[in-house]
Amino acid sequence: MRPRSPRPRATPTALAALTALTLAACSSTDKPDPAPPTVSNRTTAPHPTAGSPAADGQDPDACTDGNCEITVTKPVTLHFPAPGDGRATLSVTEVGPNKIEYEVKSANGQSKAGASGPGQGCLTYLRENGTGNSCGPLTTTRPTPQPDTVTIQTTTTPTGPGLLRIVSP
């Protein structure tokens, strides 16, 4: 059997130097990227929280230009411009306390989505080449307009009306 050679032990000075080098390698002196500018062509009140009124109230006609924020208390159908040269139809099919379901149709696709539970919601993106959904926990922050995209945001509220936003570029 071969005798084990003793392992060298690190001195406190060596450990301190190694720690300093590691921290220096992990830190950055670059300035963080500035937050992207948010664009809004709306001059409305602050975004509502549960229980406060939406900027456009309950008027579905406010959505005909593709930019609105309304509370929805019952099934409703909205028509607005879609990306490209078409129109889109959004049909809210069910709404209640902590629940909202809807369907979107345009010449470039269709999509169904829904959310249930406190603080839940969905984002639907309409683009010239199709649609996409993402559902789950959402804040009540208004989506930022995106080029060539109509964004639909629905959010549940504990009192019953759903919050619906349509954001166009």
Side-chain angles (χ1 to χ4, degrees), residues 13-106:
T13 306
L15 285 176
L18 183 59
T19 302
L21 285 173
T22 303
L23 290 175
C26 292
S27 67
S28 172
T29 58
D30 294 339
K31 293 181 182 177
D33 292 335
T38 55
V39 179
S40 178
N41 60 358
R42 311 237 343 153
T43 56
T44 58
H47 303 300
T49 57
S52 67
D56 296 314
Q58 295 182 4
D59 183 10
D61 289 336
C63 298
T64 59
D65 66 353
N67 283 295
C68 66
E69 179 180 284
I70 62 172
T71 54
V72 182
T73 58
K74 61 184 178 186
V76 64
T77 299
L78 311 167
H79 303 278
F80 53 92
D85 294 328
R87 303 276 304 155
T89 301
L90 169 71
S91 298
V92 175
T93 56
E94 188 172 342
V95 65
N98 290 319
K99 184 172 187 171
I100 189 162
E101 293 183 6
Y102 62 98
E103 179 177 17
V104 182
K105 293 180 183 178
S106 72

Side-chain angles (χ1 to χ4, degrees), residues 115-130:
S116 61
Q120 300 295 304
C122 295
L123 290 168
T124 298
Y125 301 96
L126 301 179
R127 296 182 178 95
E128 217 171 322
N129 61 351

